[in-house]
Amino acid sequence: MLISAARAATLKLANQREAAVPHAPVLIRGGEPFKLLEARAVADPALDLANPFKGPYRAEALDWREVAEAALELARIAGILPAFLVDPDNAGEAVPVVASDLAAWADRAQLSIATRAHLPVSASDAAEIIAFRSADDTREHVALVIGAQRGDVVPLVRLHSECLTGDILGSLKCDCGPQLDAALAAMAEEAARGGWGALLYLRQEGRGIGLVNKLRAYRLQDQGFDTVEANQRLGLPDEARDFPTAARMLELLGARKVRLMTNNPKKVAALQAAGIEVTERVPHQLPENPHNARYLATKRDRSGHLLK
């Protein structure tokens, strides 16, 4: 197993010669071949308290140090733990991507809960954040749960797609930031009445086209095109979001029935098609401003959003 020197020190291996070089990749071998659960316990320090006894492990000489260093750096860039199960004798050749890989990537069953933690937020100091990750997708989706999860209560749910410009920078070109705040406030009220809510924050900026392409579309909107027209001129779909991923997140939360906060009937249909029962569509309309009036009109007139 390939790990970082810092992790090797945590595992008390720094007294072994091959693990004593700071910031160097470290190759360790177990007394028995690594199984996935054991490997995860080595890789993830969040599991240390649940798995206090590990090993014994032996640090071994690494003949492909540059490749190992590159792997650990790529892990950092991708935002994943710097730990790999490897062939100890050869790092191996790169595996080519083929067309059939797309079907495997689209397998939402691979999505799982990566970790969870208490996260006090302005709407509720008792909120819990839950991170989801798939082996084939480095985008990390999260759910913010407000209130005690109860199987006998249908939760209030909002699917919120990431919007850097609206959620973080306070852009007036869209209604994303106000929708986010209003949804969390509504869920806090729900929790106060004994219910619970879940905001699913989906990493699919610009309705799935990405941040850079969204800003390219903004530039076209400055020239007079609406949201749909701008995406089409870029050769991109006006709707590329991945709602089956949201359905899988809800399944993992144990929420197969939801009250969905949305004005978009397509979200309702997408969740129902993925096996989630929408018992109620809860309107989520906020006042317009001079900068987003055309954007909201386009959602209504061209994308089928409801007024209430």
Side-chain angles (χ1 to χ4, degrees):
M1 187 170 178
L2 182 68
I3 60 175
S4 68
R7 186 61 179 151
T10 301
L11 296 173
K12 310 300 183 186
L13 299 177
N15 62 331
Q16 298 186 27
R17 183 175 62 86
E18 302 298 341
V21 180
H23 310 299
V26 178
L27 185 68
I28 64 172
R29 184 188 294 270
E32 299 290 336
F34 283 105
K35 296 180 180 178
L36 184 57
L37 290 178
E38 297 164 351
R40 289 188 62 186
V42 172
D44 190 350
L47 302 177
D48 282 349
L49 293 180
N51 300 271
F53 301 108
K54 304 181 182 70
Y57 304 123
R58 182 181 68 200
E60 298 192 337
L62 189 58
D63 296 329
W64 34 278
R65 181 173 297 274
E66 288 187 2
V67 173
E69 289 173 346
L72 295 184
E73 179 64 9
L74 288 171
R76 182 194 65 79
I77 292 170
I80 61 176
L81 290 170
F84 300 88
L85 290 173
V86 299
D87 179 344
D89 300 317
N90 191 326
E93 297 295 330
V95 178
V97 176
V98 297
S100 59
D101 290 339
L102 186 59
W105 179 84
D107 181 8
R108 303 299 180 266
Q110 296 190 60
L111 189 74
S112 61
I113 293 176
T115 192
R116 58 203 305 161
H118 171 232
L119 182 70
V121 296
S122 58
S124 170
D125 61 5
E128 181 184 29
I129 190 166
I130 303 168
F132 300 80
R133 176 181 273 161
S134 170
D136 291 325
D137 187 354
T138 58
R139 292 176 302 172
E140 296 152 327
H141 308 286
V142 300
L144 190 70
V145 174
I146 295 178
Q149 290 181 247
R150 293 172 47 190
D152 61 332
V153 175
V154 179
L156 182 64
V157 169
R158 168 72 182 165
L159 310 186
H160 190 91
S161 296
E162 176 183 35
C163 180
L164 173 71
T165 50
D167 299 341
I168 306 300
L169 302 178
S171 169
L172 298 177
K173 284 179 68 70
C174 64
D175 56 347
C176 299
Q179 281 191 331
L180 176 63
D181 294 338
L184 293 177
M187 290 171 191
E189 293 178 3
E190 195 76 13
R193 295 192 293 265
W196 64 287
L199 184 132
L200 273 55
Y201 198 84
L202 303 164
R203 302 295 301 278
Q204 41 193 17
E205 180 83 48
R207 296 194 172 200
I209 66 173
L211 177 62
V212 172
N213 283 330
K214 183 177 85 167
L215 299 184
R216 287 175 173 143
Y218 276 5
R219 188 181 181 105
L220 290 173
Q221 290 168 32
D222 291 340
Q223 298 174 21
F225 299 100
D226 67 26
T227 309
V228 173
E229 293 166 343
N231 282 30
Q232 290 174 346
R233 289 184 72 85
L234 289 170
L236 298 168
D238 57 279
E239 177 60 89
R241 285 177 290 185
D242 180 5
F243 294 126
T245 288
R248 172 61 176 161
M249 292 167 69
L250 290 170
E251 289 176 357
L252 292 169
L253 292 175
R256 293 185 174 272
K257 294 182 179 181
V258 302
R259 297 166 54 230
L260 188 64
M261 295 186 73
T262 186
N263 297 316
N264 185 357
K266 293 178 182 177
K267 282 187 179 180
V268 175
L271 284 189
Q272 290 179 330
I276 301 297
E277 181 181 347
V278 179
T279 64
E280 179 187 1
R281 184 190 68 82
V282 180
H284 195 43
Q285 187 76 29
L286 297 171
E288 65 182 40
N289 67 61
H291 302 278
N292 69 14
R294 189 184 184 196
Y295 164 79
L296 295 177
T298 301
K299 288 207 295 186
R300 180 192 67 229
D301 299 337
R302 304 198 62 178
S303 300
H305 286 225
L306 303 175
L307 290 176
K308 60 182 181 178

